Amino acid sequence: MKECSIFFIWVLVLLLQSSSCSGDANVVNPCCFYPCQNSGVCVRYDTHSYKCDCTRTGFYGVNCTIPEFWTRIYLMLKPSPSVVHYILTHFQWLWDLVNNTFLRNTLMRLVLTGRSDLIPSPPTYNTKYGYLSWESYYNLSYYTRLLPPVPKDCPLPMGTTGKPVLPDVKELTERFFKRQKFRPDPQGINLMFAFMAQHFTHQFFKTNHKVQGGFTHGLGHGVDASNIYGEDLVRQHQLRLHKDGKLKYQLKNGEMYPPTVSDVPVDMVYPEGFPAEQRLAIGQKVFGILPGLTMYATIWLREHNRVCDILKAEHPTWDDEQLFQTTRLIIIGEIIKIIIEEYVQQLSGYLLKLKFDPSLLFDVRFQYSNRIALEFCQLYHWHPLMPDSFLIDGDEIPFSQFLYNTSILMHYGVEKLVDAFSRQPAGQIGGGRNSHEMVLKVAELVIRESRAVRVQPFNEYRKRFNLKPYTSFHDFTDDKEMARGLEELYGHIDALEFYPGVLLEKTRAGGTFGESMVEMGAPFSLKGLLGNPICSPVYWKPSTFGGETGFNIVKTATLKKLVCLNTKWCPYVAFHIPRNEEEAKPRKPSTEL
């Protein structure tokens, strides 16, 4: 019945439009109606006709809406995302049991495969091609796309629904993104997490803003530690010491910091007239913008050189190149381990203890490759995390004095920055109206780029990730004034843009953001992390990392070890603010882990 209704509604609309227009030039492309459901592919034939390719979707019918037998059974038994989330975040006694039995591995495997299967591999579309092509697969200069662009010949910006002109970007961000009062994250996420989010993602989010069309200026599409070592060999070799596998550094008060641009002339982004001694040379050229990023760059520099010393002691015959390359693989492994077991753990709020163990996937179908999707890049702009000011060792530094102030790093030292950032709450990402005015321009840029490359509406992505599309703006947000305002600007919920959708959506109870961010972001993230070559059966073995010692560094990596093995004393370090009085106590200098 539903199948027939969708088909006849579409036919009626098409006939009405055809009767009121003269000539084929005004005939609406049927794919502009997004008729194909459940990942069916819309193929246009002549001006009036289309077909939905339902191959391997588990559905059939004109618009891929009729479930096959086993699909129907699966849908009857499958709990909704909200039910799954509730179970994963409640019943502590149950998860205490699961986390200490074989069930942990079983559930972790299900989490990894269930999430990763939502991301196509090999990639499908890019900005230029809304259909499968060799160029979409082969040209790494493009971000890939999960959904094809809105067809160019649609009558309205978002297809066939909404207003003829999209909302003014500045008005949109001022009304719904701009912070009114700082709203701390209810899950206890802190600034240590916020700066890791920026530092970590700049390995693979490298949008080429000089070229319109969803281009990336780096060839890396995953965790490659290019934010530490540079995007290309020229920069890498400039940053390397070319002795014992190490990276170049400078010593300040006996402590290791990144060298200055005067000593290592790599391209960095600093304001005109910025003091030469404060221009630090780092793998990522924009990391001088925030002291939190230069702090992480310093920690990873120290960790790289520390691991080099360990490998050299075990392999005295190895040359500089082998020491460097093996250490880089170890660093990549440490990054993935920390991100999955601590960063994603904190973000999810799950009571299931996440586990980084690539061997869990060795007996299942899994492809060890990854392409960064434009949608993943856009949804990961989490600038509401940034506070109004930064509290360090009793001092309050306003946002304006924090930008491009690398002197903060050496003035306070890594230990005090880590301790301060671990204790200060970050902002809640979802729900809207929590972005500092200094980062609103970034939100504006994302929305403009999204329009330039014709990203499909938010509800189409909800359907792509097996979520129910919202029926109204009042269904979308609990903020009545925001719901009225968005309806006034967009006209219809089906015309709401992707990025405003994931950022403004009502948050889950006590959550960092809404349902869509979790259900869309997690598949991209886990596929990218576990799709890394070091997680494959070919790489995941001791010899890859220089033997059992190097392999053990990867398998036992934690955020605390990363910091405390590279500092004079061990500060409070975590991705969450202290949860109890014991954690909150000032720590004495210690190297115990």
Side-chain angles (χ1 to χ4, degrees), residues 534-548:
I534 73 161
C535 299
S536 68
V538 177
Y539 277 63
W540 189 250
K541 52 189 175 184
S543 56
T544 301
F545 307 98
E548 289 293 348

Side-chain angles (χ1 to χ4, degrees), residues 5-34:
S5 298
I6 292 175
F7 178 70
F8 285 117
I9 287 172
W10 176 83
V11 171
L12 179 61
V13 171
L14 190 61
L15 288 173
L16 287 172
Q17 289 181 334
S18 298
S19 64
S20 62
C21 301
S22 59
D24 285 347
N26 292 318
V27 173
V28 176
N29 178 349
C31 293
C32 291
F33 291 92
Y34 311 118

Side-chain angles (χ1 to χ4, degrees), residues 190 192-193 296 342 418 421-422 559 572-577 583:
N190 59 20
M192 198 67 181
F193 177 97
Y296 269 116
E342 297 181 72
V418 168
F421 295 154
S422 294
L559 180 65
Y572 169 63
V573 51
F575 286 136
H576 55 81
I577 59 175
E583 281 188 341

Side-chain angles (χ1 to χ4, degrees), residues 175-334:
R175 287 180 64 179
F176 306 118
F177 285 74
K178 186 177 180 180
R179 177 173 292 154
Q180 298 176 335
K181 181 182 178 182
F182 177 74
R183 193 169 67 247
D185 177 69
Q187 288 184 201
I189 285 176
N190 59 20
L191 296 187
M192 198 67 181
F193 177 97
F195 289 124
M196 174 61 91
Q198 288 179 288
H199 191 275
F200 167 69
T201 58
H202 275 73
Q203 296 172 86
F204 40 79
F205 294 156
K206 305 170 185 176
T207 304
N208 189 342
H209 298 292
K210 295 179 181 179
V211 183
Q212 209 175 64
F215 283 92
T216 170
H217 58 71
L219 297 180
H221 281 257
V223 180
D224 58 6
S226 57
N227 54 344
I228 301 170
Y229 304 110
E231 294 176 18
D232 53 49
L233 280 174
V234 173
R235 191 179 186 94
Q236 179 198 118
H237 282 288
Q238 286 177 305
L239 291 168
R240 286 173 60 177
L241 187 62
H242 296 291
K243 181 181 179 182
D244 298 336
K246 293 185 176 182
L247 296 172
K248 291 177 181 175
Y249 59 92
Q250 62 169 315
L251 292 176
K252 289 282 187 179
N253 300 319
E255 294 187 286
M256 186 183 297
Y257 291 96
T260 63
V261 175
S262 301
D263 295 326
V264 181
V266 295
D267 178 34
M268 292 293 297
V269 177
Y270 288 109
E272 190 175 346
F274 199 70
E277 67 275 10
Q278 294 180 28
R279 293 174 177 259
L280 302 181
I282 301 170
Q284 229 297 346
K285 67 179 183 179
V286 302
F287 278 0
I289 190 172
L290 293 170
L293 300 179
T294 52
M295 174 200 71
Y296 269 116
T298 301
I299 293 171
W300 283 116
L301 164 67
R302 294 178 183 181
E303 176 67 1
H304 175 94
N305 288 352
R306 185 187 77 86
V307 172
C308 283
D309 285 335
I310 294 173
L311 289 182
K312 183 174 175 58
E314 288 223 341
H315 306 281
T317 61
W318 282 13
D319 61 12
D320 169 73
E321 189 67 19
Q322 188 165 5
L323 288 169
F324 172 82
Q325 296 296 348
T326 305
T327 297
R328 181 171 184 168
L329 291 176
I330 291 173
I331 295 296
I332 290 171
E334 287 188 77

Side-chain angles (χ1 to χ4, degrees), residues 1-2 51 102 115 159 175 180 186 191 199 221 224 251 276 307 350 361 375 400 417 428 453 509 513 564:
M1 188 68 181
K2 181 181 177 183
K51 284 187 179 180
F102 71 94
R115 297 291 195 184
R175 287 180 64 179
Q180 298 176 335
L191 296 187
H199 191 275
H221 281 257
D224 58 6
L251 292 176
V307 172
Y350 291 167
L361 297 177
E375 298 95 340
S400 58
L417 287 191
Q428 186 180 33
V453 298
F513 30 51
C564 296

